[in-house]
Amino acid sequence: MGDEMNPFSVNPLLQDFYRMAEQNVRLDPEELNAVFHELLNVSQRYQSPRVFAEGGMKRIYKVYDARGKRFLALAMLREDAHERLRDPFIQEAWLTARLDHPNIISVHDVGVKDGQHPYFTMDLKHGMTLRDLIVKLKSGDRKTRDQYPLETLLQIFLKVCDAVSYAHSVNVVHLDLKPANIQIGEYGRVLVCDWGLGRKLSHKNSQESDPMQSDPVLMGSASLYGEFKGTPGYMAPEQLEQDGTVDERSDIYGLGCILYSLLTFQRPLDGDDDEMIRQTKEGAIVPPDQRAPEQAIPSSLNAVTMRALATDPGMRYASVDALRHELQRFLTGFATEAEHAGVLKQLSLFYRRNRRFCITVLSSLLLITVSAVWAFRALSEKERLASEAKLRAERTLALYEAGQTELEKVNAANVDSIVRLSNRYLFAGDSTRAGAVLETALQEHSGNDLLQRSLGVIHFCNQRFKEAIPLLDVGIYKNGELTRLAEKFADKNPDESWLSVDDLIDCLRGLQDYKPQALAMVLLDQKHRPDLEERAKVIEAYLRTINPEWLDGWFEYDQKSGTLRMGGRGLKTLSIQHSVLVGLNLRDLNISGSEVSKLWNEGVLGLERLDIRGTPIKEAWFLKQMPHLQELIITPNQLSMISHMVPQWVQVIERSYP
Amino acid sequence: MRAKDPTDEEAWADFVGYYERFIFYLLHRMNIKSDDLDDLAQMILVKLWKYIGSYEKQANTKFRTWLGLVVRNIVYTYYQTEQRRKNVIVSNVEIDEETIAEEGSDLEKTIVKEWEIYMTNFALERMRGNFSETAVKVFEMSLSGTPAKEIAASLNISVDSVYTLKNRAKTHLIEEIRAIKQKVEL
C-alpha cells in the first residue's frame, strides 16, 4: 500500500510517551508553565545597559527590560551629580509619569538602584529630534525637503501644541521647549521630551479634583538646584529675570521659537549666551520672512510667529489653543488673526475657499470681455498696431520692474538664488515673472550657462521650442535630452502656437526624468486650454509620467458632474508640489484602488466628495485642508484615530472595498 | 461520560470526531482494501457506539484492550460474511483466521499498539498549534536521534536551549496525552 493513502502520517517513536503518560509521574511545574517561571525568576529587571545619551546631570542608557521583554530608555543621575539633585530628578520622573498624552514621552517605572541611585525608565526614542531634522533641512538635503514640506512641519508643530496644551490643562509647564526636546519618528510619531525643568503651577482652578494639585511634592524645585534654568535663545524673557513670574505664556514663547526654526531652519537668535540673553530681553528678533527670504514664508505664519515671540507675555497668545487655532486657520485657508488681514488678503482667501463660485463669476466676466474684444475688432489696423506696441512697451517695463525689485532682495550677484527665485515663480504658474527675473539677471551676467539654461527651460515649458533651443543647448547641457525634445517638437508648432493634445502628451512622455519641468509645462498649458476634456487628457499623461509604474488602471473624467475616478496599481503620487487637477473643476474625486498615500496638495481642489477606499491612506490630517468636503468614503477602520482627525463638517461613510 | 449516552446527538458527533480517524488509520494499517474501507469503518463506528454502553471499566481491562477486541471481532465477522458471499479474495487480506481466533492474539496486540501510536501522534499534532514551533522541532529531531549539537546548529539556537526546549516539549506532550486519554478513553 502506498503512503499517499495513509490518512495520518505517524511517528511510531512517540509510542513510548503513551506509557509515560500512563505512569503517574509528577510533571515539573517549571516545565509546564515555563513562561510564568521565567518571569518569576527575573532577578535583574534591567539588563545590558548601554549609554546612549547624556545631558545635564543625567545619563540615559538603553536597557533590556527582562520583565517586559523589550528595550527601554533608563535615565539615571551621573555619578558626579550632587546628592541634592536626587529629589528634583525624581520629581521630574513623577511629573512626567503623571502626564498621559500620546505626544508626551511615557515614564514606565521609577525606582532606586542599590538604595542610592534613583532612576526612571521611559520609551526608547526612535528616529531623530526636531533639531536634527531642521539641520538636515537647512543643509538643503533634497530628500528631506521633499519628505517634509511646510505642511508636514506644521502638522508636527500642531502635535507639539497638543502635548503642551494638555500639560497646561493639568497646570504643568515645560519651560524648556526647543527643537532638541522634540522627538520625531516614523508613522507621524511626535514626542515632547525632557520635562526636567517642568513644574506644576499653583494658581487657579484649584477647585478641580486634580490629583496633582494636592501633591506639594510636585510643585517643582528642579530649577533651584539645576545647573541650567533653560536654554538661552529659547527661553522667554521673563525666565531670564531674577524674579520673573513664569506661566503658560512662557511655553507659548518656546513654541514660537520652535515655529520660527521650522519656518527659517535657523534659531531665532544667534551668538554667545550673553548676547542671546541681551537680545531676548530686548526682543531683538528678526522676523522669519526677513531672516530667510528664500523660504517664501507666508505672511500669516510670519505674523503668528512674531506674536508668540512677543517680549511682553501679555502680547502673546493667551493660550496654546489660541496659537493652535491660528495655524489651523492657515492650513484651512482662512486669514489668521495676527495677520490683521486687509480686504485684498480676505478676498484672495475668499477665492481660495470658494474657488468654484469665483470661477463661475469670473468666467461670466471673461465672456463679457471677450464679446467686447470681438466688437473692438472693428478698429482700424493702424490703431490696433499702435495699441499693441504700447502694450508691449508696458509689458517690458513691468517685466523689468518685476526683475529689479525681486533682484534687490536676493542680492543680484548670486546666480543660484536667482534661479531658485525664478523656479519659485515658474512652479507657481507665473512664467512671465520667472522669465523676467532671468532676463534681467542675464543683462548683468551675460552668457551665464545656468541662467540661459533656466530661461530655456521656461521657454520650453511655454512650448516656445524654437526660442528654447539655443538657450538650452549650452555648456555642460549640450545635446541634452531637453534640447532633443525641443528640436523634435519645434516642427510641430512652427508658429509657436500651443501643441495639440496628442503632441503634448507625446512630449510629456519624454519628460520622465524632468518631473518639475513636466509640472510647469502642464500648469502653463492648462491656462491656454479651455476644453476640460482636453485638460483631462493632458493631466492623465502627466500623472502617468510621474507614476511610471502606473501601466494600466483607470482614469475616468466626467466633466458635467465634475467627477474623476482613477486608480490601479502603480498610481502612487497625485501631485508634486502643486496639484494639476485644479484645472478640472472637480467636486468628486475617487481614488479608491490606487496606491496614493498622501493628499497634501489636494486641499486647493475644493472637493465635496472623496473616496479613498483601498488606498494606503491611514492618517486624515489632510481633511483639515478641505473645507468643502462633505463626504469621505473609506473602508471600515481604514483611518486610525478617526474621531480626532476628522473635522466636524465631514461625514465619514464606511463601505467595504472592492 | 457523555459518550455512553447513545441518545445524545452531540455525543455522537464527539465520538465520531475522536474515533473515526483512528479507525480509518487502523483499517489502513491492516491492509484492508479501499473498496471496503468506508463500509467497514462505518460499521465499526456504529457497533462501537452500540457496545460502548456495555463497557465497564474494570481494574484489569484497559479501554484500548477492549477497543482492540471489539474492532477485531467486527473485522473478523465482516470478512467471514463476505467470504461466504465470495466477495473477497482472501489472499488480498492479511487477516489470518488463526491469528484472530483467540484473545490476546497478534492482531489484537497490533490494534492496541496502533492506538497508542495514533494517540501520541494526535497529541503532538494538537501541541503544534499552541506551542513554540522551535520547541516541537527540537523535540522531533531529538526523537529521531539527532545529536543536540546538530539540532542547535540547524535551528540556530544554543545547545542549552536545545535541552531546555526538549524537556519542555516532552513535559507538555505527556500532559497532552493525559488530557486526551481522559477525554477519549473510557
Side-chain angles (χ1 to χ4, degrees), chain A residues 589-612:
Chain A
L589 178 62
N590 182 340
I591 51 166
S592 58
S594 71
E595 293 182 69
V596 172
S597 60
K598 285 197 179 72
L599 288 174
W600 287 125
N601 303 315
E602 278 62 32
V604 295
L605 299 183
L607 295 174
E608 290 168 12
R609 227 171 100 97
L610 177 62
D611 188 337
I612 54 167

PDB file of all heavy atoms in Angstrom, chain A residues 589-612:
ATOM      1  N   LEU A 589     -13.809  63.250  -6.185  1.00  0.00           N
ATOM      2  CA  LEU A 589     -12.565  62.559  -6.574  1.00  0.00           C
ATOM      3  C   LEU A 589     -12.603  61.157  -5.984  1.00  0.00           C
ATOM      4  O   LEU A 589     -12.800  60.975  -4.789  1.00  0.00           O
ATOM      5  CB  LEU A 589     -11.353  63.324  -6.057  1.00  0.00           C
ATOM      6  CG  LEU A 589      -9.988  62.692  -6.351  1.00  0.00           C
ATOM      7  CD1 LEU A 589      -9.755  62.588  -7.841  1.00  0.00           C
ATOM      8  CD2 LEU A 589      -8.867  63.502  -5.715  1.00  0.00           C
ATOM      9  N   ASN A 590     -12.449  60.175  -6.860  1.00  0.00           N
ATOM     10  CA  ASN A 590     -12.485  58.789  -6.416  1.00  0.00           C
ATOM     11  C   ASN A 590     -11.154  58.139  -6.756  1.00  0.00           C
ATOM     12  O   ASN A 590     -10.868  57.841  -7.902  1.00  0.00           O
ATOM     13  CB  ASN A 590     -13.639  58.077  -7.124  1.00  0.00           C
ATOM     14  CG  ASN A 590     -13.771  56.637  -6.666  1.00  0.00           C
ATOM     15  OD1 ASN A 590     -12.834  56.049  -6.132  1.00  0.00           O
ATOM     16  ND2 ASN A 590     -14.953  56.069  -6.875  1.00  0.00           N
ATOM     17  N   ILE A 591     -10.316  57.939  -5.738  1.00  0.00           N
ATOM     18  CA  ILE A 591      -9.019  57.299  -5.996  1.00  0.00           C
ATOM     19  C   ILE A 591      -8.978  55.929  -5.338  1.00  0.00           C
ATOM     20  O   ILE A 591      -7.915  55.410  -5.015  1.00  0.00           O
ATOM     21  CB  ILE A 591      -7.844  58.171  -5.491  1.00  0.00           C
ATOM     22  CG1 ILE A 591      -8.072  58.581  -4.047  1.00  0.00           C
ATOM     23  CG2 ILE A 591      -7.646  59.367  -6.350  1.00  0.00           C
ATOM     24  CD1 ILE A 591      -6.813  59.136  -3.391  1.00  0.00           C
ATOM     25  N   SER A 592     -10.172  55.357  -5.085  1.00  0.00           N
ATOM     26  CA  SER A 592     -10.191  54.033  -4.469  1.00  0.00           C
ATOM     27  C   SER A 592      -9.457  53.057  -5.377  1.00  0.00           C
ATOM     28  O   SER A 592      -9.582  53.114  -6.604  1.00  0.00           O
ATOM     29  CB  SER A 592     -11.627  53.586  -4.230  1.00  0.00           C
ATOM     30  OG  SER A 592     -12.330  53.564  -5.427  1.00  0.00           O
ATOM     31  N   GLY A 593      -8.704  52.195  -4.744  1.00  0.00           N
ATOM     32  CA  GLY A 593      -7.986  51.190  -5.516  1.00  0.00           C
ATOM     33  C   GLY A 593      -6.682  51.700  -6.098  1.00  0.00           C
ATOM     34  O   GLY A 593      -6.055  51.010  -6.892  1.00  0.00           O
ATOM     35  N   SER A 594      -6.288  52.913  -5.740  1.00  0.00           N
ATOM     36  CA  SER A 594      -4.981  53.381  -6.183  1.00  0.00           C
ATOM     37  C   SER A 594      -3.987  53.143  -5.037  1.00  0.00           C
ATOM     38  O   SER A 594      -4.376  52.686  -3.969  1.00  0.00           O
ATOM     39  CB  SER A 594      -5.024  54.869  -6.509  1.00  0.00           C
ATOM     40  OG  SER A 594      -5.157  55.610  -5.323  1.00  0.00           O
ATOM     41  N   GLU A 595      -2.721  53.472  -5.254  1.00  0.00           N
ATOM     42  CA  GLU A 595      -1.737  53.311  -4.185  1.00  0.00           C
ATOM     43  C   GLU A 595      -1.295  54.675  -3.650  1.00  0.00           C
ATOM     44  O   GLU A 595      -0.222  54.814  -3.069  1.00  0.00           O
ATOM     45  CB  GLU A 595      -0.523  52.526  -4.693  1.00  0.00           C
ATOM     46  CG  GLU A 595      -0.849  51.096  -5.031  1.00  0.00           C
ATOM     47  CD  GLU A 595       0.386  50.333  -5.483  1.00  0.00           C
ATOM     48  OE1 GLU A 595       1.278  50.089  -4.664  1.00  0.00           O
ATOM     49  OE2 GLU A 595       0.466  49.993  -6.686  1.00  0.00           O
ATOM     50  N   VAL A 596      -2.156  55.660  -3.844  1.00  0.00           N
ATOM     51  CA  VAL A 596      -1.835  57.014  -3.372  1.00  0.00           C
ATOM     52  C   VAL A 596      -1.816  57.024  -1.852  1.00  0.00           C
ATOM     53  O   VAL A 596      -2.721  56.506  -1.213  1.00  0.00           O
ATOM     54  CB  VAL A 596      -2.891  58.012  -3.884  1.00  0.00           C
ATOM     55  CG1 VAL A 596      -2.685  59.382  -3.251  1.00  0.00           C
ATOM     56  CG2 VAL A 596      -2.830  58.114  -5.392  1.00  0.00           C
ATOM     57  N   SER A 597      -0.757  57.591  -1.246  1.00  0.00           N
ATOM     58  CA  SER A 597      -0.686  57.556   0.202  1.00  0.00           C
ATOM     59  C   SER A 597      -0.725  58.952   0.826  1.00  0.00           C
ATOM     60  O   SER A 597      -0.847  59.072   2.024  1.00  0.00           O
ATOM     61  CB  SER A 597       0.587  56.833   0.638  1.00  0.00           C
ATOM     62  OG  SER A 597       1.702  57.514   0.128  1.00  0.00           O
ATOM     63  N   LYS A 598      -0.625  59.988   0.029  1.00  0.00           N
ATOM     64  CA  LYS A 598      -0.626  61.332   0.602  1.00  0.00           C
ATOM     65  C   LYS A 598      -1.502  62.258  -0.231  1.00  0.00           C
ATOM     66  O   LYS A 598      -1.533  62.170  -1.449  1.00  0.00           O
ATOM     67  CB  LYS A 598       0.801  61.896   0.627  1.00  0.00           C
ATOM     68  CG  LYS A 598       1.661  61.296   1.696  1.00  0.00           C
ATOM     69  CD  LYS A 598       2.881  62.182   1.933  1.00  0.00           C
ATOM     70  CE  LYS A 598       3.769  61.612   3.021  1.00  0.00           C
ATOM     71  NZ  LYS A 598       4.485  60.413   2.590  1.00  0.00           N
ATOM     72  N   LEU A 599      -2.181  63.169   0.453  1.00  0.00           N
ATOM     73  CA  LEU A 599      -3.020  64.133  -0.266  1.00  0.00           C
ATOM     74  C   LEU A 599      -2.706  65.542   0.222  1.00  0.00           C
ATOM     75  O   LEU A 599      -3.602  66.313   0.489  1.00  0.00           O
ATOM     76  CB  LEU A 599      -4.500  63.804  -0.022  1.00  0.00           C
ATOM     77  CG  LEU A 599      -5.024  62.545  -0.714  1.00  0.00           C
ATOM     78  CD1 LEU A 599      -6.448  62.257  -0.269  1.00  0.00           C
ATOM     79  CD2 LEU A 599      -5.003  62.710  -2.223  1.00  0.00           C
ATOM     80  N   TRP A 600      -1.440  65.872   0.357  1.00  0.00           N
ATOM     81  CA  TRP A 600      -1.110  67.164   0.941  1.00  0.00           C
ATOM     82  C   TRP A 600      -1.465  68.338   0.038  1.00  0.00           C
ATOM     83  O   TRP A 600      -1.780  69.418   0.514  1.00  0.00           O
ATOM     84  CB  TRP A 600       0.383  67.244   1.268  1.00  0.00           C
ATOM     85  CG  TRP A 600       0.743  66.422   2.452  1.00  0.00           C
ATOM     86  CD1 TRP A 600       1.682  65.444   2.513  1.00  0.00           C
ATOM     87  CD2 TRP A 600       0.154  66.474   3.750  1.00  0.00           C
ATOM     88  NE1 TRP A 600       1.709  64.898   3.767  1.00  0.00           N
ATOM     89  CE2 TRP A 600       0.791  65.508   4.545  1.00  0.00           C
ATOM     90  CE3 TRP A 600      -0.859  67.252   4.317  1.00  0.00           C
ATOM     91  CZ2 TRP A 600       0.453  65.295   5.873  1.00  0.00           C
ATOM     92  CZ3 TRP A 600      -1.186  67.036   5.633  1.00  0.00           C
ATOM     93  CH2 TRP A 600      -0.536  66.071   6.392  1.00  0.00           C
ATOM     94  N   ASN A 601      -1.376  68.179  -1.261  1.00  0.00           N
ATOM     95  CA  ASN A 601      -1.560  69.332  -2.142  1.00  0.00           C
ATOM     96  C   ASN A 601      -2.970  69.436  -2.706  1.00  0.00           C
ATOM     97  O   ASN A 601      -3.250  70.300  -3.513  1.00  0.00           O
ATOM     98  CB  ASN A 601      -0.565  69.252  -3.308  1.00  0.00           C
ATOM     99  CG  ASN A 601       0.856  69.174  -2.806  1.00  0.00           C
ATOM    100  OD1 ASN A 601       1.219  69.914  -1.903  1.00  0.00           O
ATOM    101  ND2 ASN A 601       1.650  68.279  -3.354  1.00  0.00           N
ATOM    102  N   GLU A 602      -3.841  68.526  -2.285  1.00  0.00           N
ATOM    103  CA  GLU A 602      -5.143  68.472  -2.928  1.00  0.00           C
ATOM    104  C   GLU A 602      -6.176  69.358  -2.229  1.00  0.00           C
ATOM    105  O   GLU A 602      -7.337  69.394  -2.623  1.00  0.00           O
ATOM    106  CB  GLU A 602      -5.629  67.024  -3.003  1.00  0.00           C
ATOM    107  CG  GLU A 602      -5.043  66.246  -4.187  1.00  0.00           C
ATOM    108  CD  GLU A 602      -3.522  66.109  -4.137  1.00  0.00           C
ATOM    109  OE1 GLU A 602      -2.964  66.043  -3.022  1.00  0.00           O
ATOM    110  OE2 GLU A 602      -2.889  66.107  -5.207  1.00  0.00           O
ATOM    111  N   GLY A 603      -5.751  70.068  -1.167  1.00  0.00           N
ATOM    112  CA  GLY A 603      -6.666  70.951  -0.459  1.00  0.00           C
ATOM    113  C   GLY A 603      -7.266  72.017  -1.353  1.00  0.00           C
ATOM    114  O   GLY A 603      -8.395  72.441  -1.166  1.00  0.00           O
ATOM    115  N   VAL A 604      -6.522  72.414  -2.391  1.00  0.00           N
ATOM    116  CA  VAL A 604      -6.968  73.506  -3.244  1.00  0.00           C
ATOM    117  C   VAL A 604      -8.064  73.086  -4.204  1.00  0.00           C
ATOM    118  O   VAL A 604      -8.632  73.930  -4.901  1.00  0.00           O
ATOM    119  CB  VAL A 604      -5.789  74.068  -4.078  1.00  0.00           C
ATOM    120  CG1 VAL A 604      -4.765  74.689  -3.169  1.00  0.00           C
ATOM    121  CG2 VAL A 604      -5.165  72.981  -4.923  1.00  0.00           C
ATOM    122  N   LEU A 605      -8.370  71.812  -4.267  1.00  0.00           N
ATOM    123  CA  LEU A 605      -9.310  71.352  -5.291  1.00  0.00           C
ATOM    124  C   LEU A 605     -10.762  71.688  -4.963  1.00  0.00           C
ATOM    125  O   LEU A 605     -11.617  71.641  -5.811  1.00  0.00           O
ATOM    126  CB  LEU A 605      -9.181  69.834  -5.489  1.00  0.00           C
ATOM    127  CG  LEU A 605      -7.796  69.360  -5.953  1.00  0.00           C
ATOM    128  CD1 LEU A 605      -7.805  67.871  -6.174  1.00  0.00           C
ATOM    129  CD2 LEU A 605      -7.412  70.060  -7.238  1.00  0.00           C
ATOM    130  N   GLY A 606     -11.049  71.993  -3.692  1.00  0.00           N
ATOM    131  CA  GLY A 606     -12.423  72.294  -3.323  1.00  0.00           C
ATOM    132  C   GLY A 606     -13.337  71.097  -3.465  1.00  0.00           C
ATOM    133  O   GLY A 606     -14.497  71.223  -3.873  1.00  0.00           O
ATOM    134  N   LEU A 607     -12.853  69.924  -3.128  1.00  0.00           N
ATOM    135  CA  LEU A 607     -13.629  68.694  -3.297  1.00  0.00           C
ATOM    136  C   LEU A 607     -14.822  68.662  -2.352  1.00  0.00           C
ATOM    137  O   LEU A 607     -14.760  69.160  -1.238  1.00  0.00           O
ATOM    138  CB  LEU A 607     -12.753  67.476  -3.030  1.00  0.00           C
ATOM    139  CG  LEU A 607     -11.611  67.259  -3.996  1.00  0.00           C
ATOM    140  CD1 LEU A 607     -10.761  66.100  -3.517  1.00  0.00           C
ATOM    141  CD2 LEU A 607     -12.169  66.978  -5.381  1.00  0.00           C
ATOM    142  N   GLU A 608     -15.904  68.031  -2.817  1.00  0.00           N
ATOM    143  CA  GLU A 608     -17.052  67.819  -1.949  1.00  0.00           C
ATOM    144  C   GLU A 608     -17.173  66.362  -1.532  1.00  0.00           C
ATOM    145  O   GLU A 608     -17.774  66.025  -0.530  1.00  0.00           O
ATOM    146  CB  GLU A 608     -18.334  68.268  -2.660  1.00  0.00           C
ATOM    147  CG  GLU A 608     -18.398  69.770  -2.818  1.00  0.00           C
ATOM    148  CD  GLU A 608     -19.493  70.237  -3.760  1.00  0.00           C
ATOM    149  OE1 GLU A 608     -20.364  69.418  -4.133  1.00  0.00           O
ATOM    150  OE2 GLU A 608     -19.461  71.407  -4.148  1.00  0.00           O
ATOM    151  N   ARG A 609     -16.613  65.501  -2.393  1.00  0.00           N
ATOM    152  CA  ARG A 609     -16.702  64.066  -2.111  1.00  0.00           C
ATOM    153  C   ARG A 609     -15.356  63.444  -2.416  1.00  0.00           C
ATOM    154  O   ARG A 609     -14.732  63.778  -3.418  1.00  0.00           O
ATOM    155  CB  ARG A 609     -17.740  63.445  -3.040  1.00  0.00           C
ATOM    156  CG  ARG A 609     -18.735  62.529  -2.385  1.00  0.00           C
ATOM    157  CD  ARG A 609     -19.786  62.205  -3.438  1.00  0.00           C
ATOM    158  NE  ARG A 609     -19.455  60.891  -3.979  1.00  0.00           N
ATOM    159  CZ  ARG A 609     -20.028  59.784  -3.559  1.00  0.00           C
ATOM    160  NH1 ARG A 609     -20.947  59.820  -2.639  1.00  0.00           N
ATOM    161  NH2 ARG A 609     -19.684  58.617  -4.063  1.00  0.00           N
ATOM    162  N   LEU A 610     -14.926  62.546  -1.541  1.00  0.00           N
ATOM    163  CA  LEU A 610     -13.620  61.929  -1.747  1.00  0.00           C
ATOM    164  C   LEU A 610     -13.712  60.463  -1.349  1.00  0.00           C
ATOM    165  O   LEU A 610     -14.214  60.134  -0.273  1.00  0.00           O
ATOM    166  CB  LEU A 610     -12.580  62.658  -0.889  1.00  0.00           C
ATOM    167  CG  LEU A 610     -11.154  62.122  -0.903  1.00  0.00           C
ATOM    168  CD1 LEU A 610     -10.570  62.196  -2.292  1.00  0.00           C
ATOM    169  CD2 LEU A 610     -10.275  62.913   0.062  1.00  0.00           C
ATOM    170  N   ASP A 611     -13.273  59.609  -2.241  1.00  0.00           N
ATOM    171  CA  ASP A 611     -13.319  58.172  -1.964  1.00  0.00           C
ATOM    172  C   ASP A 611     -11.884  57.655  -1.938  1.00  0.00           C
ATOM    173  O   ASP A 611     -11.183  57.726  -2.940  1.00  0.00           O
ATOM    174  CB  ASP A 611     -14.126  57.482  -3.072  1.00  0.00           C
ATOM    175  CG  ASP A 611     -14.385  56.021  -2.729  1.00  0.00           C
ATOM    176  OD1 ASP A 611     -13.643  55.431  -1.928  1.00  0.00           O
ATOM    177  OD2 ASP A 611     -15.344  55.461  -3.262  1.00  0.00           O
ATOM    178  N   ILE A 612     -11.442  57.178  -0.766  1.00  0.00           N
ATOM    179  CA  ILE A 612     -10.041  56.716  -0.664  1.00  0.00           C
ATOM    180  C   ILE A 612      -9.995  55.246  -0.279  1.00  0.00           C
ATOM    181  O   ILE A 612      -9.003  54.782   0.266  1.00  0.00           O
ATOM    182  CB  ILE A 612      -9.256  57.560   0.365  1.00  0.00           C
ATOM    183  CG1 ILE A 612      -9.973  57.561   1.709  1.00  0.00           C
ATOM    184  CG2 ILE A 612      -9.061  58.961  -0.123  1.00  0.00           C
ATOM    185  CD1 ILE A 612      -9.107  58.090   2.829  1.00  0.00           C
TER     186      ILE A 612
END
